[in-house]
Amino acid sequence: MEDKIKNIQQDYKEKIDQAKSLKELDGIFLELFGKNGKLDQLPKEFKNLSPDKLRVVSPLFNQIKQELEKAIQRKREEVKEEIYKSLENEKFVRQPGRLQAKKRQGHLHPTTQLLNETIELFSKLGFERFDAPHIDTDEYNFELLNIPEGHPARDLWDTLYIDSEKYGIQPGKLLLRTHTSNGQIRAMRQLKPPMRVMIFDRCFRYENLDARHEHTLEQFEIVYIDKGVSMANLQYLSEYFFQGILGKDIKARLRPKYYPFVEPGAGVDGLCIFCKGKGCNVCGGTGWLELAGAGMIHPQVLKNGGIDPNEYSGIAWGVGPERMAMLKYGVEDIRLFKSGDLKFLEKY
Ligand code: FA5
């Protein structure tokens, strides 16, 4: 039995020394220690040995078993080391990982898409972008637009005021603009007629939030001043816009509506895109949806902008791109637009 154990030791020491791969070493390990492996089977034969013999054979067996196990482990480390060395000189070709290959493509936000379409429509008619500040004075947002302090019309805009005293400005005089109309007077003073401008971007209101009201909202407004501009232009431009965004069959309707900076003022309705005028739940059975506010610029506002109302007339027209996007894409709640919810945004 001792010879048998020593022979196994001899044979396998050589085999282990000559092994060149981890796979070969795994095979050797199984031959020795696996089920029915050479060393695994040996103890079965120990039962025939005398106790004296067993006292010699048993420790020898354990010693050689451990030696072979260690020899395999050592050789494994050597083989690994050689593999690492050989890889140092390899040139690697980078391939995209699975995540990279499936990189998600982003797209423009639905409100931005609608805003861009609107800008494109009016650019074709010669309207140019005019920027007005988001943080503005009471003067530009209200006073110069015929809305002096204490005027009841201020209630139309729930305003977020800034603690202006901190900045050395009289209290209540600094605010977050409530509408893009804050750019009207600046545009008039800077550009002089004839002029066609688009004022757009964010506005802010101290609103009770619901499915149609946001505190941070988009607006898009045009100001068109020239000789002989009339309500007919307003009707034409409203229909041009509705048809460009919502479809060729969407007519526009002007209804009297009060805004202090226009006279006459108009609520601009679009034919309901759902029932096409027949009357449904969305339009409250009227067949029309109010989509914009507009009117002929008030003579006093023209004067405030340095323009002679006897020589020129103008129209101002403002719409909420988010409300338009709700209609166009069938979105039920305006708050989804700024929710950052990717499941929602990916649909558009
Ligand atoms: C105005 O803000 C006027 N400056 C529009 C105007 C311009 C009138 C030029 C005359 C001449 P109004 O408050 O109605 O008007 O808002 C205009 C549009 O902004 C609304 O039709 C609506 O589409 C959008 N809007 C108003 N409030 C909100 C809100 N809280 N959330 C989302 N959209 C809003």
Side-chain angles (χ1 to χ4, degrees):
M1 182 57 69
E2 287 164 87
D3 287 346
K4 209 170 177 180
I5 295 172
K6 282 182 182 161
N7 284 344
I8 292 175
Q9 179 196 28
Q10 196 57 40
D11 287 354
Y12 277 88
K13 260 189 148 179
E14 268 172 41
K15 275 193 181 182
I16 292 166
D17 276 349
Q18 284 162 13
K20 298 233 166 353
S21 69
L22 293 174
K23 199 174 170 193
E24 244 181 284
L25 286 166
D26 286 345
I28 293 171
F29 185 86
L30 282 177
E31 275 178 38
L32 287 171
F33 303 105
K35 209 171 166 217
N36 302 326
K38 291 202 166 131
L39 284 177
D40 184 62
Q41 293 298 316
L42 269 188
K44 283 183 192 159
E45 298 173 27
F46 291 180
K47 62 177 184 268
N48 305 322
L49 298 175
S50 67
D52 284 349
K53 230 351 170 210
L54 195 60
R55 244 174 260 128
V56 179
V57 167
S58 196
L60 180 73
F61 172 80
N62 285 331
Q63 178 207 328
I64 285 176
K65 190 179 163 197
Q66 277 179 19
E67 267 180 26
L68 288 172
E69 252 175 344
K70 279 187 186 154
I72 291 174
Q73 190 51 36
R74 230 179 292 122
K75 188 71 186 177
R76 269 206 178 109
E77 295 307 317
E78 269 175 38
V79 172
K80 273 196 218 164
E81 201 55 39
E82 278 181 21
I83 293 172
Y84 293 147
K85 263 192 205 147
S86 69
L87 286 179
E88 274 171 16
N89 300 323
E90 286 283 335
K91 279 195 182 138
F92 286 96
V93 178
R94 280 177 191 271
Q95 285 203 324
R98 286 175 74 194
L99 264 180
Q100 258 178 314
K102 282 190 174 172
K103 215 178 222 173
R104 285 201 318 209
Q105 182 110 34
H107 61 76
L108 291 177
H109 190 282
T111 316
T112 310
Q113 290 179 35
L114 198 124
L115 200 53
N116 286 351
E117 283 176 50
T118 309
I119 293 164
E120 202 184 319
L121 279 171
F122 285 102
S123 298
K124 282 186 195 155
L125 300 182
F127 283 84
E128 283 174 25
R129 175 180 182 155
F130 185 88
D131 285 335
H134 290 187
I135 296 176
D136 207 356
T137 57
D138 184 79
E139 200 185 7
Y140 282 108
N141 196 81
F142 289 132
E143 281 170 32
L144 294 167
L145 298 176
N146 278 350
I147 318 167
E149 210 176 323
H151 194 289
R154 290 220 177 185
D155 294 345
L156 295 173
W157 294 276
D158 295 303
T159 309
L160 289 156
Y161 286 92
I162 289 171
D163 184 2
S164 53
E165 260 180 304
K166 242 181 147 164
Y167 308 100
I169 298 168
Q170 204 185 329
K173 292 292 176 195
L174 208 56
L175 45 80
L176 295 181
R177 72 170 176 188
T178 56
H179 51 179
T180 42
S181 302
N182 75 326
Q184 286 187 14
I185 296 290
R186 283 192 179 83
M188 290 178 211
R189 289 181 179 173
Q190 282 180 34
L191 300 174
K192 303 289 174 208
M195 55 182 271
R196 296 177 191 201
V197 294
M198 309 180 260
I199 312 162
F200 51 87
D201 214 338
R202 291 194 165 178
C203 301
F204 310 88
R205 296 189 187 182
Y206 183 58
E207 289 280 17
N208 273 330
L209 305 187
D210 61 26
R212 289 179 63 77
H213 292 88
E214 260 288 15
H215 50 74
T216 303
L217 57 128
E218 308 293 322
Q219 279 201 347
F220 178 94
E221 176 156 347
I222 57 168
V223 177
Y224 172 30
I225 303 174
D226 204 343
K227 289 180 178 160
V229 171
S230 73
M231 289 293 273
N233 298 99
L234 204 55
Q235 172 74 29
Y236 173 80
L237 289 174
S238 302
E239 216 156 83
Y240 169 78
F241 168 71
F242 294 157
Q243 294 184 359
I245 298 288
L246 299 175
K248 290 260 171 286
D249 47 357
I250 305 299
K251 300 235 168 304
R253 178 178 84 169
L254 303 182
R255 260 181 316 101
K257 185 169 180 186
Y258 175 66
Y259 290 102
F261 37 92
V262 283
E263 181 55 39
V268 188
D269 298 342
L271 196 70
C272 175
I273 63 161
F274 299 104
C275 66
K276 300 281 158 56
K278 290 195 189 95
C280 66
N281 286 343
V282 181
C283 61
T286 63
W288 296 88
L289 291 166
E290 181 172 339
L291 299 176
M296 299 298 303
I297 300 175
H298 195 287
Q300 183 58 49
V301 175
L302 286 174
K303 275 190 210 159
N304 293 345
I307 293 169
D308 181 356
N310 296 315
E311 198 180 348
Y312 290 103
S313 57
I315 56 174
W317 178 99
V319 72
E322 281 149 330
R323 294 260 181 96
M324 287 296 290
M326 284 173 83
L327 208 57
K328 179 163 179 166
Y329 303 127
V331 176
E332 281 170 9
D333 195 320
I334 197 168
R335 289 166 290 190
L336 285 166
F337 288 119
K338 292 196 177 72
S339 65
D341 181 347
L342 284 180
K343 272 197 212 128
F344 164 73
L345 293 172
E346 274 166 359
K347 284 197 244 162
Y348 305 99

